[in-house]
Amino acid sequence: MDCNCVSDLLLTPPVPALWTPVGFAFPDWAYKPESSPGSRQIQLWHFILELLQKEEYQNVIAWQGDYGEFVIKDPDEVARLWGIRKCKPHMNYDKLSRALRYYYNKRILHKTKGKRFTYKFNFSKVVLVNYPLLEMANSPFLLAQSSFNGGHTHDCSPLTPEGKTLQSLFSTPRLPDPGNREIRPSLFERQIPGTETEKLRLETTFPFLGSAKKPLVPSFWCGPGYTKGPSLLTSYSRSPPFPDYHWGFNPYLPSSFPLTNSKLPGSLYPPHFYPNSLPGSLTPIPTPISLLPGDPSERVGQTAGNFPRICLPPYPGSLPLRPAKDTTGSDSELEITDLSESSSENEGCEFSPRGAAVAMEKLGVSE
DNA sequence: CACGGAATCA
DNA sequence: TGATTCCGTG
């Protein structure tokens, strides 16, 4: 099969330097070529998100049903694309599904029973990489909030509105479900006994803060040649039916930062999040991500300062709040949310800065 | 089609 | 670790 495909991901403009946080370094792995989308090292779940995000694959794979739930409409095609990406010409759905099972064994995905080719992301395993949250995670504020401040019991101390808001990011609002004892605590609720609790908590939540080497974090757009910086939050243009976030922060939206109409308390946002750092007047930040790569034809509608193809989540105003029920007691609730990343269909099976350059030149069509 | 075990690989 | 491959079961 064709493994000379170029990574149109590499055509992604660099993350604006603006977005490079002050005084914050991302972990090494984030900058490694193999962490880049388009790399053969891309992970399957990540690849799936890529496909889900692309309009042109709607007939292949698409969000459906509950938030986070997607259906593989054309298993063979998904497998084929995956095979291309990974240079595994003999990939087929049978094998792909084995990999998917690997994911739901790890609770990254889970199977929607009774629905063929239907899976659901458990975003609690897909950590949100988001600066403000990062900062908040580090902040005394956060650590002081809620059950996150460990040691004692599970009961949530009253949260400030901010705290609640924050927490809501990390746990899907769910109905009281006294019947289900198996519900796992959300990230912020996890209790880790012992002295290292705080560190562990942070690492659990933001693995890259700690020593964790390979967190389940979407690969960053930090391949060689890029300005170092996080991908932040890319637009999931084919917006999954994810929950809304009360205060205008939806991690699925391209800019999850409080922009002009932010309802977020400014105090949660250290000034240096803002390129222009004017705490009082939040300068509208250029869209961080919208780095939808590749085919220029895809960029229709993209104008400077706008993100392309922003589709707001189709989910209705009210969440499909229902108790987990489809799986046998496993965590069918989606807790978190995240993401970053966007990318593309097929690309180079080897990543190299050089390849990027070549890709630039070849810009046009791939596939 | 879904699932699991096990060996194997990079 | 995150798959891939093979094999087997239901």
Side-chain angles (χ1 to χ4, degrees), chain A residues 247-248 255 257-264 274 280-285:
Chain A
W247 30 278
S255 172
F257 290 82
L259 297 178
T260 43
N261 57 352
S262 167
K263 298 173 196 144
L264 251 189
Y274 304 97
S281 62
L282 301 181
T283 340
I285 302 172

Side-chain angles (χ1 to χ4, degrees), chain A residues 124 127 148 170 185-190 201 204-205 335-336:
Chain A
S124 67
V127 174
F148 193 52
F170 290 86
S186 72
L187 287 175
F188 278 9
E189 292 166 335
R190 271 177 208 146
R201 270 195 309 275
T204 303
T205 309
E335 291 169 348
I336 274 214

Side-chain angles (χ1 to χ4, degrees), chain A residues 276-298:
Chain A
N276 294 331
S277 204
L278 297 177
S281 62
L282 301 181
T283 340
I285 302 172
T287 308
I289 359 282
S290 77
L291 305 173
L292 290 181
D295 188 352
S297 67
E298 268 187 49

